[in-house]
Amino acid sequence: MQIERIQQPDDTLLILIQGDMDAQGCSELQPELDALVGSDDLPDITLNLGQVDFLDSSGIGAIVFLFKRLKASGKTLVLTHVHGQPMEIIQLLRINSAISVEAAPVS
């Protein structure tokens, strides 16, 4: 799994994730998320899932973990470029009723 942080001009943090958000992938992602939520100046965060083709309970857990920490700090989480199986599981679990989810653009 590859994780890239990009500070946006509007002071939000864009996190690009490439790879599967399964148990193995999330074991690499979780230390990044822990470091983010442990910082004093927590930003609003956008997770770009355009390069994530598979999402399981570990990935959902990581997303919910981040959402809860951000919400407790008065910050927001947005999931963007969600497509395929990840979108199906997010809709099935109704994650999109609590977290802003934007579908991948149709090309």
Side-chain angles (χ1 to χ4, degrees), residues 15 17 21 29-30 33-34 36-37 42-47 58-79 90 93-101:
I15 301 176
I17 299 176
M21 288 185 72
L29 178 62
Q30 198 61 48
L33 298 182
D34 289 340
L36 274 175
V37 299
L42 192 60
D44 291 322
I45 294 178
T46 299
L47 281 182
S58 298
I60 292 293
I63 290 169
V64 170
F65 165 83
L66 182 58
F67 171 72
K68 285 183 174 183
R69 297 314 178 281
L70 288 168
K71 187 172 181 177
S73 298
K75 300 298 182 176
T76 61
L77 174 64
V78 177
L79 306 179
I90 285 169
L93 296 173
R94 300 188 58 193
I95 300 295
N96 55 330
S97 66
I99 302 172
S100 178
V101 177

Side-chain angles (χ1 to χ4, degrees), residues 76-92:
T76 61
L77 174 64
V78 177
L79 306 179
T80 63
H81 294 85
V82 185
H83 67 281
Q85 187 270 347
M87 181 61 96
E88 291 174 13
I89 196 78
I90 285 169
Q91 290 175 336
L92 179 69

